[in-house]
């Protein structure tokens, strides 16, 4: 009887909880459909009036594409309301609309803890620069400026820092973790097969420091990014580049007052910044400042006029590349290939813009996607817009496009392949006392397992597969970029390039962002008006919540606990789950 009542009440409780969740989702969906007029404080509203100022809070991640969150209007509900940040697509759209909105007089940037790649920041900064050219103002304030936050904020007419705040100015640094000694202690032997002297994805498992070639490419692209940053900061802040470097080398910016008149305009509190903004828009101190919440800013103007019969498809390809259906954070070759194919067969779609933000992954999955890009290119323009990363497999799926756009600090290239095979035999035997005995039908039946090392003939067998994939990869690039295969090999070998350097060696065609790629696609397709469609279609809030919410919550909790080490955790996770030959970025970069 106890068992019966336990099961009965357990079922009732489950039904009640499920009902509550469904109700919350329904209410959230209704709220997101009809909008909300609630305010966060006395001055932050969602109604656009005359002399309004758009408030842009830079906090958290910026994904390429805005992700719907049915719980975003419910305040703090813990992991349920934690989002991946703003979407770059909607941010660019709103900044463009604000530039043409007579009621918006300026933008107020409040920098907090920004987690975004350099190319994303570059694209956002360019949009703000264009906004400023309209004659409208941009003011920025922060309690802490990291170098990324400061680079973005330096576009502002005036930059303010809290009097007790901090501004980092010391130059860029990149650190890599090496696991060779740890694996030796554990008794794990990593067997590596690769082509490309710069293909250093495997180095953390073979070496205890960077190889000479890896150090060379790291220094090259890191200095390229830093030089690009300094150039723009120099123009906007009217400080010579050598002076900026001198301040970094001498750690001259120790306290807010050290930066005044140089990197910032004043060290003041936020209420004083708001008073400055009031003066700028021409209202008295006693009057209410109309700060418009950036997330709720929805002007009536439309970005592009067009009809349902004339479309440009923007297809997002974000994350590592693998076979199957993928997810919001991983490119599945089956799903992405089908999306490209559907856009190719849709007569209403006149051009395709493929937005690539990927470090690569499975070489086979990359080739499946490449094939669909090639087929699409035969019937309509296909333009690639590279985000933070379009390297290795990310470059593989891009190389066949009619034109490739990248930001100066996009990480691209890495044309090389590798395979890895751990051998845990020693770890089992010497560390755990576990021995292995195997029965095979043939001499090499167990090759590819993790329970023994490969023989010389087996090594040659696997290495030949790596060489074949590299040959195909370089051939694909040569065909797409109209270069000789030998030339591709000379700039390949797994070497990483920034977008600025890639332009010089013909790996990309033009420096620019997503909007530039869309404009070029329209020109190529001879379209004067069109409608943008973003693909693949996002899951509904119900599907997203019921389908993978458990995985998302788990990832968020792990990320929160590991902090900056999360990127290395994910890297190890990817290595463990790798299947087949990889066309992947040579390492996980943490640039600060």
């Amino acid at each position: 009887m106890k068992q019966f009542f336990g099961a009965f009440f357990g079922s009732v409780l489950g039904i009640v909880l499920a009902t509550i969740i469904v109700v919350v989702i329904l209410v959230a969906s209704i709220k997101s459909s009809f909008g909300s007029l609630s305010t966060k404080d006395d001055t932050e509203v969602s109604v656009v009036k005359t002399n309004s100022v758009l408030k842009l809070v830079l906090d958290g991640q910026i994904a390429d594409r805005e992700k719907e969150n049915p719980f975003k209007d419910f305040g703090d509900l813990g992991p349920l309301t934690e989002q991946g940040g703003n979407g770059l697509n909607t941010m660019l759209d709103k900044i463009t609309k604000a530039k043409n909105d007579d009621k918006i007089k300026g933008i107020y940037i409040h920098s907090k803890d920004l987690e975004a790649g350099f190319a994303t920041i570059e694209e956002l900064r360019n949009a703000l620069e264009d906004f400023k050219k309209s004659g409208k103002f941009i003011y920025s304030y922060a309690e802490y400026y990291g170098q990324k936050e400061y680079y973005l904020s330096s576009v502002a007419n005036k930059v303010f820092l809290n009097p007790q705040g901090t501004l980092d100015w010391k130059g860029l640094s990149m650190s890599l973790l090496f696991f060779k000694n740890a694996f030796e202690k554990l008794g794990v032997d990593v067997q590596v097969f690769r082509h490309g002297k710069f293909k250093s994805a495997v180095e953390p498992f073979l070496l205890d420091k960077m190889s000479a070639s890896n150090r060379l490419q790291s220094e090259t692209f890191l200095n390229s990014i830093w030089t690009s940053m300094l150039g723009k900061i120099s123009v906007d802040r009217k400080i010579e580049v050598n002076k900026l470097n001198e301040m970094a080398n001498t750690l001259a910016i120790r306290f807010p007052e050290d930066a005044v008149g140089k990197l910032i305009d004043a060290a003041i509190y936020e209420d004083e910044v708001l008073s400055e903004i009031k003066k700028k828009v021409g209202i008295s101190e006693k009057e209410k400042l109309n700060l418009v919440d950036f997330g709720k800013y929805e002007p009536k103007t439309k970005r592009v006029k067009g009809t349902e019969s004339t479309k440009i498809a923007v297809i997002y390809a974000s994350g590592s590349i693998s076979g199957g259906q993928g997810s919001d954070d991983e490119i599945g070759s089956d799903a992405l290939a089908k999306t490209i194919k559907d856009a190719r067969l849709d007569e209403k779609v006149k051009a395709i813009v493929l937005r690539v933000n990927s470090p690569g992954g499975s070489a086979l999955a990359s080739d499946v996607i490449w094939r669909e890009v090639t087929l699409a290119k035969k019937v309509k323009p296909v333009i690639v817009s590279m985000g933070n990363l379009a390297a290795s497999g990310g470059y593989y799926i891009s190389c066949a496009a009619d034109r490739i756009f990248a930001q100066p600090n996009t990480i691209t290239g890495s044309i090389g392949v590798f395979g890895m095979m751990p051998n845990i035999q020693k770890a089992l035997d010497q560390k755990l006392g576990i021995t292995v005995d195997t029965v095979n039908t043939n001499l090499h039946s167990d090759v590819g397992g993790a329970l023994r090392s490969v023989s010389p003939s087996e090594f040659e067998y696997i290495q030949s597969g790596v060489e074949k994939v590299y040959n195909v990869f370089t051939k694909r690039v040569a065909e797409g970029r109209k270069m000789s295969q030998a030339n591709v090999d000379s700039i390949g070998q797994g070497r990483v390039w920034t977008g600025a350097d890639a332009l010089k060696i013909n790996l990309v065609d033009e420096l620019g962002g997503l909007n530039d790629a869309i404009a070029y696609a329209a020109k190529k397709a001879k379209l004067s008006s069109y409608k943008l469609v973003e693909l693949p279609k996002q899951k509904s809030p119900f599907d997203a919540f019921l389908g993978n919410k458990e995985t998302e919550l788990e990832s968020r909790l792990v990320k929160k606990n590991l902090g900056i080490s999360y990127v290395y955790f994910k890297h190890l996770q990817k290595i463990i789950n790798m299947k087949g030959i990889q066309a992947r970025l040579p390492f996980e970069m943490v640039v600060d």
Side-chain angles (χ1 to χ4, degrees):
M1 185 63 71
K2 285 183 179 179
Q3 199 171 20
F4 168 76
F5 281 112
F8 173 77
F9 286 115
S11 299
V12 171
L13 180 61
I15 292 171
V16 171
L17 289 175
T19 302
I20 292 172
I21 291 173
V22 170
V23 170
V24 169
I25 294 174
L26 279 171
V27 175
S29 299
I30 292 171
K31 288 187 71 174
S32 63
S33 298
F34 289 96
S36 173
L37 297 179
S38 63
T39 62
K40 292 184 179 180
D41 55 48
D42 291 338
T43 58
E44 194 173 333
V45 299
S46 58
V47 179
V48 182
K49 300 177 181 178
T50 303
N51 286 337
S52 289
V53 175
L54 197 59
K55 183 178 180 181
L56 172 57
V57 178
L58 297 173
D59 189 16
Q61 296 179 341
I62 301 178
D64 271 356
R65 187 182 186 186
E66 187 81 25
K67 186 187 294 186
E68 288 187 30
N69 187 338
F71 304 101
K72 65 182 179 180
D73 292 328
F74 278 80
D76 185 8
L77 296 179
L80 288 177
T81 49
E82 289 181 13
Q83 302 181 63
N86 296 305
L88 180 63
N89 58 336
T90 56
M91 295 178 78
L92 297 177
D93 188 32
K94 289 182 180 182
I95 292 171
T96 300
K97 288 174 178 176
K99 181 184 75 170
N100 300 312
D101 189 339
D102 293 337
K103 293 182 178 180
I104 298 293
K105 300 303 178 184
I107 292 178
Y108 168 45
I109 300 173
H110 188 165
S111 291
K112 292 190 176 180
D113 184 17
L114 180 60
E115 298 175 33
F118 281 103
T120 295
I121 290 173
E122 186 76 19
E123 202 151 348
L124 190 55
R125 193 183 193 281
N126 289 341
L128 291 168
E129 187 78 64
D130 182 62
F131 174 90
K132 195 170 67 171
K133 288 178 181 177
S134 69
K136 299 182 178 184
F137 70 89
I138 301 176
Y139 280 12
S140 176
Y141 167 81
E143 295 174 359
Y144 165 75
Y145 282 115
Q147 293 180 125
K148 285 184 179 180
E149 289 92 344
Y150 179 75
Y151 175 56
L152 179 55
S153 296
S154 66
V155 72
N157 299 88
K158 288 192 176 183
V159 180
F160 302 105
L161 176 64
N162 186 288
Q164 304 306 317
T166 305
L167 191 157
D168 277 344
W169 190 253
K170 57 187 187 301
L172 299 182
S173 175
M174 187 189 78
S175 300
L176 304 178
L177 294 184
F178 291 85
F179 307 101
K180 174 179 177 290
N181 294 336
F183 275 22
E184 285 180 351
K185 291 180 179 179
L186 293 172
V188 177
D189 177 33
V190 180
Q191 303 161 105
V192 173
F193 316 86
R194 63 174 169 174
H195 185 111
K197 62 182 179 180
F198 291 97
K199 202 63 185 174
S200 44
V202 295
E203 285 189 4
F205 306 97
L206 301 177
L207 306 175
D208 56 10
K209 62 181 179 180
M210 295 184 197
S211 65
S213 56
N214 190 6
R215 180 170 293 278
L216 172 63
Q217 71 170 352
S218 299
E219 289 176 348
T220 300
F221 73 70
L222 201 62
N223 278 297
S224 178
I225 293 172
W226 181 241
T227 299
S228 177
M229 288 174 60
L230 292 184
K232 291 198 171 183
I233 292 172
S234 174
V235 171
D236 284 314
R237 296 301 303 174
K238 296 179 175 56
I239 308 174
E240 293 182 0
V241 170
N242 60 355
K243 183 64 177 177
L244 291 169
N245 271 318
E246 182 185 332
M247 287 191 288
N249 290 333
T250 59
L251 296 177
I253 310 301
R254 302 186 180 190
F255 308 107
E257 51 267 31
D258 297 329
V260 175
K262 301 167 188 165
L263 299 181
I264 67 172
D265 293 280
I268 57 178
Y269 291 99
E270 186 176 17
D271 62 285
E272 296 175 290
V273 174
L274 296 178
S275 295
E276 288 288 326
I277 295 176
K278 286 182 178 182
K279 293 177 185 177
K280 186 68 178 177
V281 297
I283 64 175
S284 68
E285 182 64 31
K286 294 181 179 180
E287 291 182 84
K288 181 178 179 180
L289 178 61
N290 202 54
L291 283 179
V292 180
D293 186 311
F294 189 87
K296 296 176 181 178
Y297 175 59
E298 294 292 343
K300 295 180 180 180
T301 56
K302 293 184 178 180
R303 178 181 175 189
V304 177
K305 293 182 179 180
T307 65
E308 289 289 339
S309 61
T310 308
K311 301 177 181 178
I312 291 179
V314 179
I315 300 177
Y316 290 89
S318 299
S320 298
I321 302 172
S322 62
Q325 294 302 309
S327 64
D328 290 341
D329 302 316
E330 184 178 59
I331 300 169
S333 59
D334 291 350
L336 183 57
K338 184 179 184 304
T339 300
I340 297 171
K341 179 181 179 180
D342 290 345
R344 166 170 61 89
L345 297 177
D346 188 343
E347 295 181 356
K348 295 178 181 179
V349 173
K350 306 301 181 184
I352 296 172
V353 174
L354 182 62
R355 173 69 173 190
V356 180
N357 207 336
S358 171
S362 164
L364 174 58
S366 299
D367 194 69
V368 169
I369 298 167
W370 168 88
R371 174 64 178 172
E372 283 301 331
V373 172
T374 304
L375 293 175
K377 180 184 174 182
K378 293 179 180 179
V379 295
K380 58 189 67 175
V382 178
I383 314 301
V384 162
S385 169
M386 292 180 169
N388 298 312
L389 296 169
S392 210
Y395 191 80
Y396 198 133
I397 68 176
S398 303
C399 67
D402 290 291
R403 196 166 186 81
I404 299 176
F405 287 78
Q407 293 291 359
N409 43 25
T410 294
I411 300 300
T412 188
S414 189
I415 301 168
V417 295
F418 72 92
M420 291 177 60
M421 193 180 298
N423 173 21
I424 62 172
Q425 184 182 32
K426 189 187 297 183
L428 293 176
D429 184 13
Q430 298 181 6
K431 304 297 180 180
L432 300 175
I434 300 173
T435 56
V436 178
D437 200 3
T438 304
V439 176
N440 295 330
T441 61
N442 295 85
L443 185 61
H444 305 289
S445 295
D446 61 338
V447 68
L451 299 179
R452 69 171 178 84
S453 61
V454 297
S455 68
S457 62
E458 289 169 341
F459 185 95
E460 189 279 329
Y461 166 77
I462 298 171
Q463 183 65 31
S464 66
V466 170
E467 297 296 339
K468 181 177 184 293
V469 172
Y470 181 76
N471 181 61
V472 172
F473 192 172
T474 53
K475 184 180 179 181
R476 302 287 194 238
V477 176
E479 292 171 350
R481 302 302 302 167
K482 297 179 174 57
M483 301 163 63
S484 69
Q485 197 167 356
N487 191 5
V488 174
D489 180 57
S490 70
I491 59 176
Q493 298 287 326
R495 182 162 184 173
V496 173
W497 305 90
T498 62
D501 290 333
L503 179 65
K504 300 173 186 176
I505 56 175
N506 196 38
L507 287 181
V508 305
D509 296 292
E510 194 169 335
L511 298 181
L514 180 58
N515 287 341
D516 298 304
I518 292 171
Y520 184 86
K523 181 180 178 182
K524 186 80 173 175
K526 299 178 180 178
L527 301 177
S528 58
S529 64
Y530 54 90
K531 180 178 180 181
L532 286 180
V533 289
E534 295 185 329
L535 301 172
K537 292 182 178 179
Q538 290 187 321
K539 293 179 179 179
S540 70
F542 291 101
D543 292 336
F545 180 80
L546 297 175
N548 61 358
K549 207 65 186 178
E550 182 178 346
T551 304
E552 286 185 10
L553 293 179
E554 181 181 344
S555 296
R556 288 171 184 166
L557 289 173
V558 172
K559 184 175 182 180
K560 185 175 182 180
N561 289 322
L562 291 182
I564 195 171
S565 300
Y566 178 74
V567 66
Y568 300 113
F569 167 77
K570 291 296 292 182
H571 183 48
L572 284 171
Q573 193 177 51
K574 290 173 186 175
I575 293 292
I576 292 170
N577 294 326
M578 279 182 187
K579 293 182 180 179
I581 297 171
Q582 299 291 304
R584 188 182 291 271
L585 190 69
F587 39 75
E588 293 288 337
M589 298 177 298
V590 178
V591 179
D592 186 22

